[in-house]
Amino acid sequence: MNELKLFRRVAIWTVVVSLSIAALTGISVILTGDGGRLEVRVMGTTAAVGAYGIAVLCNLATLGKPYQWVGWLGLPISTLTIVIGVVLIWLPADSSVPEVWARGTWAGILTTLALAHASLIVQLVRRPQAAVRGVVGATLATIAAYAVLGLIPILADDIRLGEGYWRALWVIVILCVLGTIVSPVIGAILRGRDADSAHLTIDLPADLLERIDATGDREHAVRAALHHAFPPPPGADILPPPDHHR
């Protein structure tokens, strides 16, 4: 677990430094460039590095938590995509780009987007509220759907896709955006805190916090431990902590 924390810390600082360098380079080009091909390449690289940094930060947020495989899958795919993309940007103007490279880059971009998107909301699927889990599950399904439907025309351009196909794809994308927005809102509304509850903030040792996070939902684990350590008196009408598996 300590190795994971070190990896995540180094990765975050690498992303921050890379984004800062890319931003400063882009600003310099805007202020001093004449709009030539070199400036266009620099701006394209800056945009690519920025998008890559955002995707990596989304993937890193899942590490050490349930469903971290989403982040681990997204990291190498996004890294390979940025490498190929930057190589294509800086190829000489008279170079012929291999078709497999172009298709692979677009497929990598779409897959990177889908995995980064899933990384943002996948942890919400462990919320105790059934409504939240349902919306998150449906949203994750739409993410998978738009990724698969989007990859088909990229990888197989000889397939004739009708207007209905593209209409269905856009409907799925719209539903996906809606679910992404609604999921955390419903979670915030249905947290189940009544007027008699109190908010408690405490500092915990790092190793204890890691063990708590390893059990899944942090809030549920802490509540369950407190209920076990301080049981209600006999006859008291106190509800048990929410059960994720019900």
Side-chain angles (χ1 to χ4, degrees):
M1 189 64 69
N2 290 332
E3 291 80 3
L4 179 60
K5 289 180 61 177
L6 178 61
F7 170 79
R8 184 163 48 193
R9 185 174 302 174
V10 171
I12 290 175
W13 275 109
T14 302
V15 169
V16 170
V17 172
S18 300
L19 289 176
S20 300
I21 294 174
L24 292 175
T25 304
I27 292 173
S28 175
V29 168
I30 292 174
L31 296 179
T32 63
D34 57 2
R37 186 172 181 83
L38 176 61
E39 285 74 19
V40 172
R41 287 178 171 178
V42 172
M43 291 302 299
T45 304
T46 301
V49 171
Y52 170 71
I54 294 173
V56 169
L57 291 177
C58 293
N59 297 145
L60 290 174
T62 66
L63 301 190
K65 302 177 182 178
Y67 306 105
Q68 63 177 340
W69 64 267
V70 178
W72 283 120
L73 183 60
L75 288 174
I77 291 177
S78 59
T79 301
L80 181 61
T81 301
I82 183 68
V83 170
I84 298 177
V86 171
V87 169
L88 293 178
I89 290 173
W90 287 94
L91 280 177
D94 57 350
S95 300
S96 79
V97 178
E99 184 178 358
V100 65
W101 279 34
R103 291 181 182 274
T105 301
W106 284 112
I109 291 173
L110 179 58
T111 306
T112 296
L113 172 63
L115 290 172
H117 191 174
S119 296
L120 289 177
I121 65 171
V122 69
Q123 298 304 322
L124 293 176
V125 80
R126 296 182 61 84
R127 286 290 182 89
Q129 299 88 357
V132 178
R133 296 198 303 271
V135 174
V136 173
T139 304
L140 291 173
T142 59
I143 292 175
Y146 81 63
V148 172
L149 293 178
L151 285 173
I152 291 176
I154 294 175
L155 300 178
D157 64 342
D158 55 338
I159 297 179
R160 298 285 182 176
L161 301 174
E163 183 179 353
Y165 181 92
W166 297 107
R167 288 179 183 272
L169 177 58
W170 280 112
V171 169
I172 291 173
V173 170
I174 292 172
L175 292 175
C176 183
V177 173
L178 177 63
T180 303
I181 297 173
V182 169
S183 298
V185 173
I186 294 179
I189 294 175
L190 301 179
R191 289 186 66 87
R193 294 183 176 178
D194 55 31
D196 296 329
S197 65
H199 183 72
L200 177 64
T201 302
I202 58 174
D203 294 325
L204 297 176
D207 60 334
L208 176 58
L209 191 58
E210 290 176 359
R211 294 199 299 272
I212 293 175
D213 288 339
T215 65
D217 186 274
R218 178 183 297 180
E219 183 175 344
H220 172 76
V222 172
R223 285 188 177 185
L226 291 175
H227 273 276
H228 179 73
F230 304 98
D237 186 16
I238 299 179
L239 294 177
D243 186 358
H244 286 291
H245 303 289
R246 284 186 301 180

